[in-house]
Amino acid sequence: MRGVIHLVAVSLFLTGCSHKPYGRLCPGEVSTLNGKVTGHSSAWVFDEIQHFSVTHKSNTVNSGYLKSADPSLYVPSATTAEGFMAQRLSPDRFRLIDAEQNEMVTWNCPTHAVTP
């Protein structure tokens, strides 16, 4: 009996320590780089604090490791493999910028998590 209790305790501990990114279905605003709104979008955003990914339909963009010299002054950013600038504006706001197309999308996510 003690062995079963120990096994349950260890499995609960390991489950509690494992980390799975949580996804949020987030509405987004598409705009030009100077802020003129050109449309709306929605996507699944998976937040890992140091990086995030955005999935829209069957396309996924990974931000890569977000860096900032001073997070209190500068937005943590990265350049994606696709050439976009990825920004984590806050715990609930994420942005991808395509400078070549003069376009950016900013997602404002709900505060609760959903698992797809």
Side-chain angles (χ1 to χ4, degrees):
M1 185 65 163
R2 290 175 96 192
V4 172
I5 293 172
H6 180 70
L7 181 62
V8 169
V10 168
S11 66
L12 286 174
F13 174 75
L14 291 175
T15 303
C17 291
S18 66
H19 175 72
K20 180 180 178 186
Y22 60 91
R24 296 183 278 177
L25 183 58
C26 306
E29 183 175 89
V30 182
S31 64
T32 62
L33 296 182
N34 66 2
K36 181 182 176 189
V37 176
T38 59
H40 297 279
S41 173
S42 66
W44 282 94
V45 176
F46 294 87
D47 182 17
E48 288 272 355
I49 309 301
Q50 296 297 323
H51 58 92
F52 66 91
S53 65
V54 177
T55 301
H56 177 69
K57 298 182 181 177
S58 63
N59 298 318
T60 298
V61 175
N62 295 303
S63 70
Y65 181 73
L66 300 167
K67 301 175 203 127
S68 175
D70 182 351
S72 65
L73 295 175
Y74 308 109
V75 174
S77 305
T79 302
T80 70
E82 298 82 4
F84 306 133
M85 175 176 270
Q87 297 178 320
R88 186 174 201 272
L89 303 172
S90 76
D92 302 316
R93 293 185 69 218
F94 303 86
R95 177 178 287 154
L96 288 178
I97 300 170
D98 185 351
E100 287 184 17
Q101 297 295 320
N102 187 32
E103 188 173 76
M104 64 181 171
V105 183
T106 305
W107 290 277
N108 294 298
C109 299
T111 55
H112 63 282
V114 178
T115 52

